[in-house]
Amino acid sequence: MFKYIARFALFAAVCSAAYAQPVVGKEGVLTDAAGRVLYVFDKDSAGQSACYDKCAALWPPFAAAPEAAATADYTLVSRNDGSRQWAFRGKPLYYYVADTEPGQTTGDGRGGVWHVVRGGAEQAAGTPGYSPKGY
């Protein structure tokens, strides 16, 4: 557990400087500007995060700058501490602390509730991942 906390601390320091809107990266996978893959959590409801404390230590939220503005698919979710995180079609976005390099997707399918996000129309036919239903 300590190694995850140490990784999170380093990861949080790097991510806090990179307040950017999500982008559709390689193979239609949603990433940040540096290519780090983004995930959604099945236990979240639209516009509301359910991932705090220990969960957020392993799955850090994809933070949004105070001046960030929502667009069509990319919205903002307020967290309990007053910070905001990016959401894709209403689903809050997260990193996985064990993904140590851009493009890694080691969190995909974790616990049956964490999924890589694919950017809608850009998703290649037949590729695995999460594309929110009903949007």
Side-chain angles (χ1 to χ4, degrees):
M1 182 68 171
F2 178 74
K3 71 178 180 177
Y4 287 117
I5 293 170
R7 278 188 196 170
F8 173 70
L10 176 62
F11 191 76
V14 170
C15 293
S16 66
Y19 286 122
Q21 181 171 313
V23 297
V24 177
K26 187 177 177 183
E27 298 176 16
V29 174
L30 203 62
T31 69
D32 68 4
R36 290 180 303 256
V37 173
L38 298 168
Y39 297 86
V40 290
F41 183 38
D42 287 347
K43 294 182 181 183
D44 285 344
S45 55
Q48 181 67 42
S49 174
C51 184
Y52 290 92
D53 304 320
K54 289 180 183 179
C55 175
L58 290 174
W59 300 91
F62 181 37
E67 69 277 0
T71 62
D73 283 339
Y74 305 111
T75 56
L76 298 162
V77 172
S78 293
R79 295 185 57 78
N80 291 346
D81 64 1
S83 66
R84 298 184 311 160
Q85 80 183 88
W86 284 106
F88 179 66
R89 299 179 181 168
K91 295 289 285 186
L93 296 171
Y94 304 88
Y95 295 104
Y96 181 46
V97 74
D99 287 348
T100 58
E101 296 181 26
Q104 279 189 313
T105 60
T106 59
D108 195 24
R110 203 87 159 135
V113 295
W114 290 97
H115 309 282
V116 166
V117 182
R118 301 215 179 257
E122 295 85 357
Q123 181 173 350
T127 56
Y130 179 83
S131 197
K133 293 180 173 68
Y135 293 93

PDB file of all heavy atoms in Angstrom, residues 7-32:
ATOM      1  N   ARG A   7       3.635   6.508  -5.059  1.00  0.00           N
ATOM      2  CA  ARG A   7       3.391   6.755  -6.480  1.00  0.00           C
ATOM      3  C   ARG A   7       2.352   7.859  -6.664  1.00  0.00           C
ATOM      4  O   ARG A   7       2.483   8.703  -7.537  1.00  0.00           O
ATOM      5  CB  ARG A   7       2.881   5.492  -7.176  1.00  0.00           C
ATOM      6  CG  ARG A   7       3.942   4.543  -7.570  1.00  0.00           C
ATOM      7  CD  ARG A   7       3.330   3.459  -8.412  1.00  0.00           C
ATOM      8  NE  ARG A   7       4.212   2.317  -8.517  1.00  0.00           N
ATOM      9  CZ  ARG A   7       3.862   1.167  -9.031  1.00  0.00           C
ATOM     10  NH1 ARG A   7       2.640   0.988  -9.476  1.00  0.00           N
ATOM     11  NH2 ARG A   7       4.723   0.174  -9.104  1.00  0.00           N
ATOM     12  N   PHE A   8       1.289   7.808  -5.851  1.00  0.00           N
ATOM     13  CA  PHE A   8       0.234   8.812  -5.951  1.00  0.00           C
ATOM     14  C   PHE A   8       0.781  10.204  -5.675  1.00  0.00           C
ATOM     15  O   PHE A   8       0.449  11.154  -6.375  1.00  0.00           O
ATOM     16  CB  PHE A   8      -0.920   8.497  -4.994  1.00  0.00           C
ATOM     17  CG  PHE A   8      -1.946   9.589  -4.956  1.00  0.00           C
ATOM     18  CD1 PHE A   8      -2.769   9.812  -6.051  1.00  0.00           C
ATOM     19  CD2 PHE A   8      -2.069  10.405  -3.856  1.00  0.00           C
ATOM     20  CE1 PHE A   8      -3.705  10.834  -6.038  1.00  0.00           C
ATOM     21  CE2 PHE A   8      -2.997  11.422  -3.830  1.00  0.00           C
ATOM     22  CZ  PHE A   8      -3.823  11.631  -4.918  1.00  0.00           C
ATOM     23  N   ALA A   9       1.618  10.336  -4.656  1.00  0.00           N
ATOM     24  CA  ALA A   9       2.180  11.647  -4.317  1.00  0.00           C
ATOM     25  C   ALA A   9       2.982  12.202  -5.497  1.00  0.00           C
ATOM     26  O   ALA A   9       2.830  13.368  -5.865  1.00  0.00           O
ATOM     27  CB  ALA A   9       3.051  11.541  -3.074  1.00  0.00           C
ATOM     28  N   LEU A  10       3.811  11.372  -6.096  1.00  0.00           N
ATOM     29  CA  LEU A  10       4.583  11.799  -7.257  1.00  0.00           C
ATOM     30  C   LEU A  10       3.658  12.096  -8.430  1.00  0.00           C
ATOM     31  O   LEU A  10       3.780  13.119  -9.094  1.00  0.00           O
ATOM     32  CB  LEU A  10       5.599  10.724  -7.645  1.00  0.00           C
ATOM     33  CG  LEU A  10       6.415  10.998  -8.906  1.00  0.00           C
ATOM     34  CD1 LEU A  10       7.266  12.261  -8.728  1.00  0.00           C
ATOM     35  CD2 LEU A  10       7.295   9.809  -9.227  1.00  0.00           C
ATOM     36  N   PHE A  11       2.711  11.219  -8.650  1.00  0.00           N
ATOM     37  CA  PHE A  11       1.769  11.365  -9.752  1.00  0.00           C
ATOM     38  C   PHE A  11       0.945  12.638  -9.593  1.00  0.00           C
ATOM     39  O   PHE A  11       0.744  13.384 -10.544  1.00  0.00           O
ATOM     40  CB  PHE A  11       0.857  10.134  -9.777  1.00  0.00           C
ATOM     41  CG  PHE A  11       0.015  10.022 -10.999  1.00  0.00           C
ATOM     42  CD1 PHE A  11       0.570   9.597 -12.188  1.00  0.00           C
ATOM     43  CD2 PHE A  11      -1.332  10.310 -10.957  1.00  0.00           C
ATOM     44  CE1 PHE A  11      -0.200   9.467 -13.319  1.00  0.00           C
ATOM     45  CE2 PHE A  11      -2.108  10.190 -12.086  1.00  0.00           C
ATOM     46  CZ  PHE A  11      -1.539   9.763 -13.266  1.00  0.00           C
ATOM     47  N   ALA A  12       0.474  12.915  -8.389  1.00  0.00           N
ATOM     48  CA  ALA A  12      -0.324  14.110  -8.125  1.00  0.00           C
ATOM     49  C   ALA A  12       0.479  15.370  -8.391  1.00  0.00           C
ATOM     50  O   ALA A  12      -0.045  16.352  -8.932  1.00  0.00           O
ATOM     51  CB  ALA A  12      -0.847  14.097  -6.695  1.00  0.00           C
ATOM     52  N   ALA A  13       1.738  15.370  -8.020  1.00  0.00           N
ATOM     53  CA  ALA A  13       2.586  16.546  -8.267  1.00  0.00           C
ATOM     54  C   ALA A  13       2.737  16.798  -9.758  1.00  0.00           C
ATOM     55  O   ALA A  13       2.660  17.935 -10.211  1.00  0.00           O
ATOM     56  CB  ALA A  13       3.959  16.341  -7.622  1.00  0.00           C
ATOM     57  N   VAL A  14       2.921  15.739 -10.531  1.00  0.00           N
ATOM     58  CA  VAL A  14       3.057  15.882 -11.981  1.00  0.00           C
ATOM     59  C   VAL A  14       1.737  16.327 -12.596  1.00  0.00           C
ATOM     60  O   VAL A  14       1.691  17.236 -13.414  1.00  0.00           O
ATOM     61  CB  VAL A  14       3.523  14.555 -12.622  1.00  0.00           C
ATOM     62  CG1 VAL A  14       3.442  14.615 -14.130  1.00  0.00           C
ATOM     63  CG2 VAL A  14       4.933  14.233 -12.172  1.00  0.00           C
ATOM     64  N   CYS A  15       0.639  15.711 -12.184  1.00  0.00           N
ATOM     65  CA  CYS A  15      -0.660  15.998 -12.782  1.00  0.00           C
ATOM     66  C   CYS A  15      -1.184  17.378 -12.418  1.00  0.00           C
ATOM     67  O   CYS A  15      -1.885  17.991 -13.205  1.00  0.00           O
ATOM     68  CB  CYS A  15      -1.691  14.952 -12.360  1.00  0.00           C
ATOM     69  SG  CYS A  15      -1.325  13.338 -13.034  1.00  0.00           S
ATOM     70  N   SER A  16      -0.874  17.857 -11.244  1.00  0.00           N
ATOM     71  CA  SER A  16      -1.409  19.148 -10.835  1.00  0.00           C
ATOM     72  C   SER A  16      -0.908  20.266 -11.727  1.00  0.00           C
ATOM     73  O   SER A  16      -1.549  21.291 -11.872  1.00  0.00           O
ATOM     74  CB  SER A  16      -1.070  19.432  -9.372  1.00  0.00           C
ATOM     75  OG  SER A  16       0.323  19.593  -9.222  1.00  0.00           O
ATOM     76  N   ALA A  17       0.234  20.075 -12.357  1.00  0.00           N
ATOM     77  CA  ALA A  17       0.768  21.082 -13.263  1.00  0.00           C
ATOM     78  C   ALA A  17       0.166  20.968 -14.653  1.00  0.00           C
ATOM     79  O   ALA A  17       0.302  21.872 -15.465  1.00  0.00           O
ATOM     80  CB  ALA A  17       2.284  20.950 -13.346  1.00  0.00           C
ATOM     81  N   ALA A  18      -0.509  19.890 -14.939  1.00  0.00           N
ATOM     82  CA  ALA A  18      -1.024  19.648 -16.291  1.00  0.00           C
ATOM     83  C   ALA A  18      -2.539  19.741 -16.328  1.00  0.00           C
ATOM     84  O   ALA A  18      -3.226  18.756 -16.501  1.00  0.00           O
ATOM     85  CB  ALA A  18      -0.572  18.273 -16.772  1.00  0.00           C
ATOM     86  N   TYR A  19      -3.066  20.942 -16.126  1.00  0.00           N
ATOM     87  CA  TYR A  19      -4.510  21.151 -16.206  1.00  0.00           C
ATOM     88  C   TYR A  19      -4.899  21.353 -17.653  1.00  0.00           C
ATOM     89  O   TYR A  19      -4.849  22.451 -18.174  1.00  0.00           O
ATOM     90  CB  TYR A  19      -4.916  22.420 -15.448  1.00  0.00           C
ATOM     91  CG  TYR A  19      -4.892  22.330 -13.963  1.00  0.00           C
ATOM     92  CD1 TYR A  19      -4.113  23.189 -13.217  1.00  0.00           C
ATOM     93  CD2 TYR A  19      -5.696  21.428 -13.284  1.00  0.00           C
ATOM     94  CE1 TYR A  19      -4.119  23.143 -11.841  1.00  0.00           C
ATOM     95  CE2 TYR A  19      -5.707  21.373 -11.909  1.00  0.00           C
ATOM     96  CZ  TYR A  19      -4.924  22.237 -11.195  1.00  0.00           C
ATOM     97  OH  TYR A  19      -4.931  22.194  -9.830  1.00  0.00           O
ATOM     98  N   ALA A  20      -5.261  20.317 -18.325  1.00  0.00           N
ATOM     99  CA  ALA A  20      -5.670  20.440 -19.718  1.00  0.00           C
ATOM    100  C   ALA A  20      -6.944  19.639 -19.920  1.00  0.00           C
ATOM    101  O   ALA A  20      -7.266  18.751 -19.141  1.00  0.00           O
ATOM    102  CB  ALA A  20      -4.568  19.936 -20.636  1.00  0.00           C
ATOM    103  N   GLN A  21      -7.649  19.953 -20.970  1.00  0.00           N
ATOM    104  CA  GLN A  21      -8.849  19.208 -21.320  1.00  0.00           C
ATOM    105  C   GLN A  21      -8.444  17.846 -21.866  1.00  0.00           C
ATOM    106  O   GLN A  21      -7.388  17.715 -22.469  1.00  0.00           O
ATOM    107  CB  GLN A  21      -9.627  19.994 -22.373  1.00  0.00           C
ATOM    108  CG  GLN A  21     -10.915  19.324 -22.784  1.00  0.00           C
ATOM    109  CD  GLN A  21     -11.757  20.231 -23.647  1.00  0.00           C
ATOM    110  OE1 GLN A  21     -11.948  21.384 -23.319  1.00  0.00           O
ATOM    111  NE2 GLN A  21     -12.258  19.703 -24.740  1.00  0.00           N
ATOM    112  N   PRO A  22      -9.287  16.813 -21.668  1.00  0.00           N
ATOM    113  CA  PRO A  22      -8.973  15.499 -22.234  1.00  0.00           C
ATOM    114  C   PRO A  22      -8.868  15.573 -23.755  1.00  0.00           C
ATOM    115  O   PRO A  22      -9.475  16.436 -24.386  1.00  0.00           O
ATOM    116  CB  PRO A  22     -10.169  14.640 -21.825  1.00  0.00           C
ATOM    117  CG  PRO A  22     -10.883  15.394 -20.773  1.00  0.00           C
ATOM    118  CD  PRO A  22     -10.549  16.834 -20.954  1.00  0.00           C
ATOM    119  N   VAL A  23      -8.121  14.654 -24.312  1.00  0.00           N
ATOM    120  CA  VAL A  23      -7.993  14.559 -25.767  1.00  0.00           C
ATOM    121  C   VAL A  23      -8.182  13.107 -26.186  1.00  0.00           C
ATOM    122  O   VAL A  23      -7.978  12.198 -25.395  1.00  0.00           O
ATOM    123  CB  VAL A  23      -6.621  15.071 -26.268  1.00  0.00           C
ATOM    124  CG1 VAL A  23      -6.436  16.534 -25.972  1.00  0.00           C
ATOM    125  CG2 VAL A  23      -5.485  14.258 -25.693  1.00  0.00           C
ATOM    126  N   VAL A  24      -8.573  12.906 -27.429  1.00  0.00           N
ATOM    127  CA  VAL A  24      -8.691  11.552 -27.948  1.00  0.00           C
ATOM    128  C   VAL A  24      -7.331  11.186 -28.505  1.00  0.00           C
ATOM    129  O   VAL A  24      -6.837  11.812 -29.437  1.00  0.00           O
ATOM    130  CB  VAL A  24      -9.782  11.443 -29.029  1.00  0.00           C
ATOM    131  CG1 VAL A  24      -9.816  10.033 -29.606  1.00  0.00           C
ATOM    132  CG2 VAL A  24     -11.136  11.803 -28.442  1.00  0.00           C
ATOM    133  N   GLY A  25      -6.709  10.200 -27.876  1.00  0.00           N
ATOM    134  CA  GLY A  25      -5.368   9.796 -28.255  1.00  0.00           C
ATOM    135  C   GLY A  25      -5.365   8.621 -29.207  1.00  0.00           C
ATOM    136  O   GLY A  25      -6.324   8.364 -29.934  1.00  0.00           O
ATOM    137  N   LYS A  26      -4.279   7.891 -29.144  1.00  0.00           N
ATOM    138  CA  LYS A  26      -4.047   6.736 -29.998  1.00  0.00           C
ATOM    139  C   LYS A  26      -5.206   5.738 -29.903  1.00  0.00           C
ATOM    140  O   LYS A  26      -5.671   5.425 -28.814  1.00  0.00           O
ATOM    141  CB  LYS A  26      -2.734   6.076 -29.579  1.00  0.00           C
ATOM    142  CG  LYS A  26      -2.264   4.974 -30.468  1.00  0.00           C
ATOM    143  CD  LYS A  26      -0.919   4.452 -29.983  1.00  0.00           C
ATOM    144  CE  LYS A  26      -0.466   3.293 -30.834  1.00  0.00           C
ATOM    145  NZ  LYS A  26       0.777   2.740 -30.356  1.00  0.00           N
ATOM    146  N   GLU A  27      -5.661   5.265 -31.041  1.00  0.00           N
ATOM    147  CA  GLU A  27      -6.724   4.257 -31.138  1.00  0.00           C
ATOM    148  C   GLU A  27      -8.025   4.704 -30.489  1.00  0.00           C
ATOM    149  O   GLU A  27      -8.816   3.881 -30.034  1.00  0.00           O
ATOM    150  CB  GLU A  27      -6.252   2.925 -30.571  1.00  0.00           C
ATOM    151  CG  GLU A  27      -5.071   2.341 -31.316  1.00  0.00           C
ATOM    152  CD  GLU A  27      -4.558   1.063 -30.693  1.00  0.00           C
ATOM    153  OE1 GLU A  27      -5.256   0.456 -29.875  1.00  0.00           O
ATOM    154  OE2 GLU A  27      -3.423   0.672 -31.037  1.00  0.00           O
ATOM    155  N   GLY A  28      -8.261   6.017 -30.405  1.00  0.00           N
ATOM    156  CA  GLY A  28      -9.518   6.521 -29.871  1.00  0.00           C
ATOM    157  C   GLY A  28      -9.633   6.495 -28.363  1.00  0.00           C
ATOM    158  O   GLY A  28     -10.695   6.757 -27.814  1.00  0.00           O
ATOM    159  N   VAL A  29      -8.550   6.180 -27.636  1.00  0.00           N
ATOM    160  CA  VAL A  29      -8.563   6.142 -26.177  1.00  0.00           C
ATOM    161  C   VAL A  29      -8.443   7.565 -25.648  1.00  0.00           C
ATOM    162  O   VAL A  29      -7.609   8.340 -26.107  1.00  0.00           O
ATOM    163  CB  VAL A  29      -7.411   5.261 -25.638  1.00  0.00           C
ATOM    164  CG1 VAL A  29      -7.318   5.337 -24.129  1.00  0.00           C
ATOM    165  CG2 VAL A  29      -7.604   3.827 -26.074  1.00  0.00           C
ATOM    166  N   LEU A  30      -9.269   7.915 -24.682  1.00  0.00           N
ATOM    167  CA  LEU A  30      -9.238   9.246 -24.091  1.00  0.00           C
ATOM    168  C   LEU A  30      -8.025   9.365 -23.172  1.00  0.00           C
ATOM    169  O   LEU A  30      -7.793   8.500 -22.322  1.00  0.00           O
ATOM    170  CB  LEU A  30     -10.526   9.476 -23.309  1.00  0.00           C
ATOM    171  CG  LEU A  30     -10.941  10.909 -23.075  1.00  0.00           C
ATOM    172  CD1 LEU A  30     -11.197  11.625 -24.393  1.00  0.00           C
ATOM    173  CD2 LEU A  30     -12.184  10.953 -22.217  1.00  0.00           C
ATOM    174  N   THR A  31      -7.243  10.442 -23.351  1.00  0.00           N
ATOM    175  CA  THR A  31      -6.042  10.660 -22.545  1.00  0.00           C
ATOM    176  C   THR A  31      -5.967  12.123 -22.129  1.00  0.00           C
ATOM    177  O   THR A  31      -6.741  12.958 -22.590  1.00  0.00           O
ATOM    178  CB  THR A  31      -4.758  10.336 -23.345  1.00  0.00           C
ATOM    179  OG1 THR A  31      -4.584  11.307 -24.379  1.00  0.00           O
ATOM    180  CG2 THR A  31      -4.793   8.945 -23.948  1.00  0.00           C
ATOM    181  N   ASP A  32      -4.973  12.426 -21.293  1.00  0.00           N
ATOM    182  CA  ASP A  32      -4.636  13.823 -21.048  1.00  0.00           C
ATOM    183  C   ASP A  32      -3.662  14.244 -22.148  1.00  0.00           C
ATOM    184  O   ASP A  32      -3.307  13.439 -23.022  1.00  0.00           O
ATOM    185  CB  ASP A  32      -4.077  14.032 -19.635  1.00  0.00           C
ATOM    186  CG  ASP A  32      -2.713  13.400 -19.400  1.00  0.00           C
ATOM    187  OD1 ASP A  32      -2.109  12.838 -20.342  1.00  0.00           O
ATOM    188  OD2 ASP A  32      -2.238  13.470 -18.259  1.00  0.00           O
TER     189      ASP A  32
END
